[in-house]
Amino acid sequence: MRKARIAVLVSGGGTNLEALFKAQEAGKIPHGEIVVVLSSVAGAYALERARNHGVPGFAVPRKGSTQEAFEAGLTDKLCAYQADMIVLAGFLSILSEDFVKRWPDRILNVHPSLIPAFCGKGYYGLKVHEVALARGVKVTGATVHLVNEIPDGGRILLQKAVEIQPGDTPEVLQRRVMEQAEWILLPEAAEIVAKKLASD
């Protein structure tokens, strides 16, 4: 059976990447295989995680590079490893519309809220959880969506709600959203897209 070749793009520690590796090793992404990890930040721990799982990892630094040069570097690696699809797993660099258009229905992104709540410019990482707590909402969660259109973000694939508990800090809430939503949804969504690509 042909497997879709998955590239994972990261910017930091790689906890979502680790969840993908564990899901793959548990047989939960049977139609896909992670073949390369690319980091927009040199020295990101996610690259060490890739090495620990025997997958090539490369830094394609965004800092000090033009958008065109940065995306050309990403494209070179994606083509070299014949990637069929891209998973943005804590990837904090903005991709241009031209780049996104080259990968229709093939770029997945995870966002730590129930879109359309707490998303858009400036809403990433801990900031999302800080705002959710400040607004006093009782439920938050995570969303995995296909990145097809800019700026609206594309089509939602999966969402999962997570309850906010009394006394939550942004850090505690962030961890719960990762454990109860992101780390579950991202492998499920990767398998949905990989299965479609593998059967095409």
Side-chain angles (χ1 to χ4, degrees):
M1 177 183 74
R2 180 180 115 75
K3 292 190 175 188
R5 296 173 64 81
I6 302 171
V8 184
L9 274 55
V10 297
S11 295
T15 53
N16 282 328
L17 172 65
E18 188 69 29
L20 286 164
F21 278 131
K22 287 181 176 175
Q24 177 177 278
E25 290 159 6
K28 294 180 180 177
I29 313 176
H31 292 89
E33 178 185 10
I34 300 169
V35 296
V36 68
V37 174
L38 304 177
S39 172
S40 62
V41 176
Y45 184 66
L47 296 174
E48 184 68 25
R49 291 184 192 272
R51 284 188 285 274
N52 291 342
H53 289 275
V55 172
F58 303 94
V60 183
R62 176 67 184 93
K63 190 173 182 180
S65 181
T66 65
Q67 187 74 21
E68 293 76 16
F70 172 60
E71 291 183 353
L74 291 176
T75 300
D76 286 348
K77 289 296 185 191
L78 293 168
C79 291
Y81 283 86
Q82 300 177 330
D84 295 308
M85 59 182 283
I86 299 168
V87 178
L88 306 179
F91 185 70
L92 300 181
S93 294
I94 302 296
L95 295 168
S96 72
E97 191 164 357
D98 285 343
F99 183 93
V100 169
K101 280 181 177 175
R102 285 187 224 122
W103 299 86
D105 293 323
R106 292 169 183 248
I107 303 177
L108 284 173
N109 186 42
V110 62
H111 184 74
S113 79
L114 297 173
I115 291 175
F118 313 127
C119 64
K121 188 173 177 62
Y123 285 95
Y124 62 90
L126 206 57
K127 175 73 172 176
V128 177
H129 307 292
E130 290 170 351
V131 174
L133 290 173
R135 294 272 181 89
V137 298
K138 303 298 181 190
V139 176
T140 186
T143 302
V144 178
H145 59 101
L146 284 166
V147 181
N148 284 336
E149 302 152 28
I150 294 175
D152 75 356
R155 180 163 59 89
I156 291 172
L157 269 187
L158 297 170
Q159 289 187 307
K160 191 171 192 303
V162 174
E163 288 187 10
I164 293 177
Q165 304 292 341
D168 271 350
T169 64
E171 293 80 8
V172 168
L173 182 57
Q174 180 181 50
R175 184 72 186 188
R176 188 181 310 114
V177 169
M178 287 192 293
E179 290 175 349
Q180 295 183 11
E182 293 180 43
W183 297 349
I184 296 166
L185 294 182
L186 202 51
E188 287 180 3
E191 172 57 15
I192 289 169
V193 176
K195 186 175 182 179
K196 183 179 184 305
L197 293 175
S199 63
D200 284 349

